[in-house]
């Protein structure tokens, strides 16, 4: 028997092994389909009918998996039960503000824990006990990362109450009917193209779990249009019934029997480990209603698994699913800037499945942005570099030098200009300057030659260029980018922290890691910025960046410290990723923000990164000589 009453929350398993809740509206929709039963077309749920953002997704209630039609991604789903007096039973949703300024709901177990502390009128709640290094402060409605001290806003809002169930679960909610239970003959299967495609995919990805029996049933179902539910004795690694068997394994080629035997061995090993580590997980004849062997459900069997076990099960499940496909042509979720690639992968998988070809649908590689947790005692200063923090303040204006006085240090007058163009105004050097803006006091026909690179320009044009720039006493040749003087930028005030952590980067396993943390708060633009007097945003801070603690890595850090002091690492402008204007952006010095992967191109391994960033720093006028100048 079920508990006297409980609220039902439908959840899906993400790539990090965490169960993410569907919204109350979606859960109500799924429950309505469950109650309708298989005879009323309730074998699958089209999520786009209730939420347009979920249009590509279909849930197959027999296999308890979510299928994304445009990419072919398959994820486990589950039906969880919670106390009616908990947060989902009251329609309470706790959310945190992400880097895009939108709100993301917490996992259900986290939201319930936060709500319980909130109702007890605790001033704060530490989430370490449930596996998260965060503190929720109710006084200012903020989330604090215990490791980095980063703060985010949180909020509590009211939504629909999740669906409530009481008493014994009706037989119509069993998917499929339990063996030995009399039931009416199933209705003919739907023959629309979408259902046929979904059925063919189910038949093409699952031979390893049932040894071909499910495929035989699926094949007969497609041929006679009289579906017969296959045997469902195995328990999937997510706690629901496994996927059916692909038709492609009905005619095994050489070596298929060996693969099948290996798969069964792997599956049995995983099941034994699962049973040993998660005693609360019971055999489920019905994904929608998980009764035990005696048809009763205890309170322990309804408990959600902890994060460690969930991650272990998710990894083991993906291995079994991949192995069961016996892929001859693997189809993967492709990463890239174009949205066409994932769609092509999904369509290819659908067509190959419909043709009876084995397909391996795999998840994309995991993004690893941050290192494992590091205690304060493990954080060390970097040898050879003093301090562990730098701050910048507002720009210090240099007084007493006019543009003409600044340029005089870097120029030589040219008495007889050559018959060439001035690349600033595009007029001949032998003619007066073509600049039409505010007129400097200098004569428009004078020509000067830069002392290092030798390029020549109208003095009138150079003065105008200097006035339109940062006016920091430096000059950069517009042709070859040679820098005269000390170039500074317009980076807003902020803080740069740097220290050593005891973990290694991919490709640099022989050394520890330098972690840099940049933190710039939002504020008001100054006279050197694009829109003086207007506020600017600072998204994604604090930003964590990583360098290997090698000789060259320490050299790069020293130069980055010079770049920070000269306000050259960040600027205020328009984000190339979000299109937002008047926001803090990177300023042409690339940083590595992925710790353990390189999926976005901003991580490791990257054997050329250190040399590339040294080149970028040199382009900003920062070299080893700059470090010596800063010390002087």
């Amino acid at each position: 028997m079920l508990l006297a009453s409980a609220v039902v929350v439908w959840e899906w398993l993400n790539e990090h092994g965490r169960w993410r809740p569907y919204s109350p509206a979606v859960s109500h929709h799924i429950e309505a389909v469950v109650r309708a039963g298989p005879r009323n077309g309730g074998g699958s749920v089209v999520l786009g009918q209730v939420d347009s953002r979920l249009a590509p997704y279909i849930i197959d209630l027999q296999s308890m998996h979510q299928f994304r039609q445009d990419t072919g991604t398959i994820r486990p789903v589950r039906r969880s039960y919670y106390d009616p007096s908990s947060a989902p039973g009251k329609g309470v949703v706790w959310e945190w503000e992400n880097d895009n300024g939108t709100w993301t709901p917490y996992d259900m177990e986290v939201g319930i824990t936060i709500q319980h502390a909130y109702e007890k009128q605790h001033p704060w709640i530490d989430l370490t006990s449930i596996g998260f290094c965060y503190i929720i402060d109710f006084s200012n409605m903020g989330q604090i990362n215990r490791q980095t001290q980063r703060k985010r806003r949180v909020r509590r809002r009211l939504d629909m109450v999740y669906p409530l169930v009481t008493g014994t679960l009706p037989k119509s909610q069993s998917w499929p009917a339990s063996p030995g239970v009399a039931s009416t003959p199933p209705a003919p299967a739907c023959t629309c193209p979408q259902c046929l495609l979904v059925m063919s995919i189910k038949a093409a990805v699952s031979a390893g779990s049932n040894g071909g029996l499910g495929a035989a049933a699926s094949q007969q179902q497609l041929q006679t249009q009289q579906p017969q539910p296959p045997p469902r004795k195995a328990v999937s690694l997510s706690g629901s019934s496994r996927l059916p068997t692909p038709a492609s394994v009905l005619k095994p080629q050489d070596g298929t029997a060996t693969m099948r035997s290996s798969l069964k061995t792997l599956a049995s090993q995983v099941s034994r480990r699962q049973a040993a580590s998660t005693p609360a997980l019971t055999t489920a004849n019905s994904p929608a209603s998980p009764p035990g062997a005696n048809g009763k459900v205890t309170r322990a069997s309804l408990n959600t698994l902890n994060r460690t076990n969930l991650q272990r099960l998710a990894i083991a499940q993906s291995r079994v699913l991949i192995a069961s496909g016996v892929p001859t042509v693997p189809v993967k979720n492709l990463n890239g800037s174009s949205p066409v690639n994932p769609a092509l992968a999904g369509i290819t998988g659908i067509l190959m499945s419909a043709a009876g070809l084995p397909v391996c649908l795999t998840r994309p590689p995991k993004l690893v942005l941050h290192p494992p947790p590091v205690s304060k005692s493990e954080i060390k200063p970097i040898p050879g570099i003093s301090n562990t923090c730098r701050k910048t303040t507002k720009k210090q204006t240099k007084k007493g030098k006019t543009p003409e006085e600044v340029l005089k240090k870097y120029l030589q007058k040219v008495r007889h200009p050559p018959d060439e163009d001035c690349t600033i105004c595009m007029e001949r050097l032998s003619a007066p300057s073509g600049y039409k803006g505010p007129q400097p006091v200098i004569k428009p026909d004078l020509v000067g030659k830069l002392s290092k690179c030798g390029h020549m320009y109208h003095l009138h044009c150079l003065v105008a260029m200097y006035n339109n720039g940062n006016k920091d006493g430096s000059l950069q040749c517009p042709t070859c980018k040679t820098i005269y003087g000390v170039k500074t930028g317009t980076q807003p005030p902020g803080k740069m922290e740097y220290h050593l952590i005891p973990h290694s980067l991919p490709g640099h396993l022989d050394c520890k890691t330098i972690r840099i943390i940049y933190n710039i708060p939002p504020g008001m633009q100054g006279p050197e910025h694009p829109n003086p007097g207007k506020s600017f945003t600072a998204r994604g801070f604090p930003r964590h960046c990583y360098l290997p603690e090698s000789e060259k890595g320490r050299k790069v850090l020293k130069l980055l410290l010079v770049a920070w002091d000269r306000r050259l690492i960040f600027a205020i402008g328009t984000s190339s990723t979000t299109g937002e204007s008047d926001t803090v952006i990177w300023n042409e010095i690339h940083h590595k923000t992925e710790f353990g992967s390189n999926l976005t191109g901003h991580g490791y391994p990257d054997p050329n990164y250190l040399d590339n960033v040294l080149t970028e720093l040199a382009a900003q006028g920062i070299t080893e000589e700059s470090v010596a100048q800063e010390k002087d």
Side-chain angles (χ1 to χ4, degrees):
M1 297 290 291
L2 281 173
L3 299 173
S5 63
V7 288
V8 176
V9 178
W10 283 83
E11 299 169 309
W12 57 277
L13 189 67
N14 70 9
E15 61 272 20
H16 304 297
R18 290 164 52 186
W19 289 99
R20 301 290 296 143
Y22 291 102
S23 68
V26 173
S27 291
H28 274 280
H29 178 63
I30 300 173
E31 280 295 297
V33 176
V34 168
R35 295 191 182 103
R39 297 192 62 193
N40 296 316
S44 62
V45 185
V46 181
L47 300 186
Q49 292 178 351
V50 67
D51 188 340
S52 60
R53 296 171 298 179
L54 303 180
Y57 297 98
I58 294 176
I59 291 179
D60 175 52
L61 293 173
Q62 292 188 5
S63 64
M64 288 294 281
H65 278 76
Q66 170 191 278
F67 172 67
R68 178 164 179 163
Q69 301 174 87
D70 55 349
T71 65
T73 304
I74 297 175
R75 298 186 186 276
V77 299
R78 74 177 183 183
R79 186 178 192 247
S80 298
Y81 304 84
Y82 295 95
D83 193 318
S85 64
S86 63
K90 298 179 179 179
V92 175
V93 180
W94 284 88
E95 299 173 318
W96 54 276
E97 187 178 28
N98 58 36
D99 293 340
N100 296 325
T102 57
W103 295 91
T104 301
Y106 284 97
D107 295 355
M108 191 54 64
E109 62 169 327
V110 180
I112 290 174
T113 303
I114 297 174
Q115 175 64 16
H116 181 73
Y118 180 83
E119 291 176 348
K120 295 290 185 180
Q121 297 185 346
H122 294 168
W124 52 270
I125 174 69
D126 189 343
L127 302 180
T128 305
S129 61
I130 57 174
F132 296 87
C133 58
Y134 296 108
I135 293 175
I136 306 299
D137 185 353
F138 296 119
S139 62
N140 57 16
M141 293 299 281
Q143 168 190 282
I144 304 171
N145 188 313
R146 291 170 58 92
Q147 178 182 341
T148 65
Q149 299 302 307
R150 180 179 183 179
K151 298 180 181 179
R152 292 182 185 271
R153 291 194 300 165
V154 301
R155 73 176 183 182
R156 176 182 181 270
R157 67 175 180 86
L158 295 178
D159 202 331
M160 295 175 58
V161 175
Y162 277 89
L164 181 70
V165 294
T166 57
T168 306
L169 198 65
K171 291 179 180 179
S172 62
Q173 288 178 286
S174 295
W175 298 95
S178 301
V181 178
S183 60
T184 56
C190 177
T191 58
C192 73
Q194 176 172 296
C195 289
L196 289 176
L197 281 177
V198 172
M199 290 165 62
S200 68
I201 290 223
K202 287 160 50 182
V205 297
S206 57
S209 56
N210 291 338
L213 296 177
S218 299
Q219 189 175 44
Q220 180 181 3
Q221 180 176 342
L222 288 173
Q223 292 174 351
T224 65
Q225 301 303 321
Q226 295 293 331
Q228 299 294 330
R232 316 291 296 184
K233 296 182 180 179
V235 175
S236 81
L237 302 176
S238 64
S240 61
S241 300
R242 286 178 182 161
L243 287 170
T245 307
S248 58
V249 185
L250 289 176
K251 299 178 181 180
Q253 299 175 355
D254 295 340
T256 305
T258 304
M259 171 64 76
R260 188 179 299 156
S261 175
S262 301
L263 175 64
K264 290 181 179 179
T265 303
L266 173 62
S268 64
Q269 291 174 351
V270 172
S271 298
R272 287 198 298 271
R273 292 175 185 172
Q274 174 185 345
S277 61
T278 58
L281 188 61
T282 59
T283 303
N285 289 327
S286 164
S289 169
N294 59 358
K296 297 181 180 180
V297 177
T298 64
R299 181 179 295 271
S301 67
L302 297 178
N303 290 337
T304 55
L305 303 176
N306 61 41
R307 294 183 71 212
T308 303
N309 287 333
L310 286 177
Q311 290 171 346
R312 185 183 301 119
L313 294 181
I315 293 171
Q317 184 195 42
S318 64
R319 289 174 179 168
V320 171
L321 287 176
I322 292 172
S324 66
V326 196
T328 54
V329 183
V331 178
K332 298 184 178 181
N333 289 334
L334 305 177
N335 291 305
S337 58
S338 171
V340 176
N341 289 342
L344 286 177
I347 293 170
T348 303
I350 290 173
L351 295 177
M352 290 173 62
S353 300
L357 297 174
V359 177
C360 177
L361 295 172
T362 66
R363 292 194 182 105
K366 184 179 178 181
L367 181 70
V368 183
L369 289 177
H370 302 296
V374 179
S375 64
K376 289 185 178 180
S377 61
E378 294 177 306
I379 296 176
K380 304 295 182 182
I382 302 167
I385 298 179
S386 59
N387 303 319
T388 58
C389 179
R390 294 279 183 95
K391 292 184 178 180
T392 57
T393 56
K394 293 184 178 181
K395 177 185 176 183
Q396 301 295 323
T397 57
K398 297 183 179 181
K399 299 180 180 180
K401 289 189 177 181
T402 64
E404 292 79 4
E405 290 174 330
V406 172
L407 294 177
K408 186 177 180 180
K409 298 188 298 182
Y410 312 130
L411 289 173
Q412 301 172 354
K413 287 187 178 180
V414 178
R415 297 182 179 275
H416 304 288
D419 192 21
E420 299 174 359
D421 286 341
C422 169
T423 56
I424 298 177
C425 69
M426 300 311 295
E427 296 289 346
R428 308 300 283 182
L429 290 172
S430 54
S433 169
Y435 176 70
K436 303 300 182 184
Q439 298 297 309
V441 296
I442 201 167
K443 294 181 179 180
D445 57 348
L446 294 179
V447 174
K449 177 182 177 181
L450 292 171
S451 57
K452 292 182 182 178
C453 61
H455 290 110
M456 290 181 281
Y457 306 93
H458 291 115
L459 294 182
H460 198 97
C461 296
L462 287 173
V463 170
M465 184 183 74
Y466 181 85
N467 285 330
N468 290 329
N470 202 24
K471 291 183 281 191
D472 58 357
S474 69
L475 183 71
Q476 188 166 15
C477 174
T479 300
C480 66
K481 308 305 179 184
T482 299
I483 296 174
Y484 296 81
V486 177
K487 180 182 178 180
T488 61
T490 61
Q491 175 180 292
K495 182 171 69 171
M496 175 184 179
E497 299 177 72
Y498 43 95
H499 48 249
L500 206 59
I501 58 175
H503 300 292
S504 299
L505 294 165
H508 299 276
L509 301 180
D510 57 339
C511 60
K512 297 179 182 179
T513 298
I514 297 170
R515 179 168 64 184
I516 306 171
I517 303 176
Y518 295 111
N519 202 351
I520 295 179
M524 198 70 65
Q525 297 184 51
E528 72 274 25
H529 295 135
N531 296 297
K534 185 178 180 180
S535 62
F536 67 86
T537 59
R539 308 293 186 192
F541 288 94
R543 300 187 185 183
H544 291 225
C545 307
Y546 304 96
L547 291 169
E549 199 261 327
S550 59
E551 182 179 355
K552 187 175 288 187
R554 290 192 296 271
K555 175 182 176 181
V556 169
L557 175 62
K558 292 177 181 179
L559 298 182
L560 288 176
L561 290 171
V562 176
W564 174 263
D565 291 338
R566 295 183 182 180
R567 306 173 69 208
L568 291 169
I569 292 181
F570 296 99
I572 294 178
T574 300
S575 170
S576 60
T577 54
T578 66
E580 181 182 12
S581 58
D582 297 304
T583 190
V584 179
I585 59 175
W586 293 105
N587 187 35
E588 300 181 359
I589 300 175
H590 285 84
H591 285 65
K592 292 295 188 181
T593 54
E594 283 183 66
F595 175 82
S597 59
N598 195 16
L599 301 185
T600 64
H602 302 305
Y604 295 91
D606 184 347
N608 299 319
Y609 169 66
L610 296 178
D611 290 326
N612 291 341
V613 76
L614 287 173
T615 302
E616 292 172 346
L617 287 162
Q620 299 288 344
I622 300 174
T623 60
E624 291 185 80
E625 290 76 16
S626 304
V627 178
Q629 291 175 6
E630 293 293 320
K631 290 181 179 179
D632 296 340

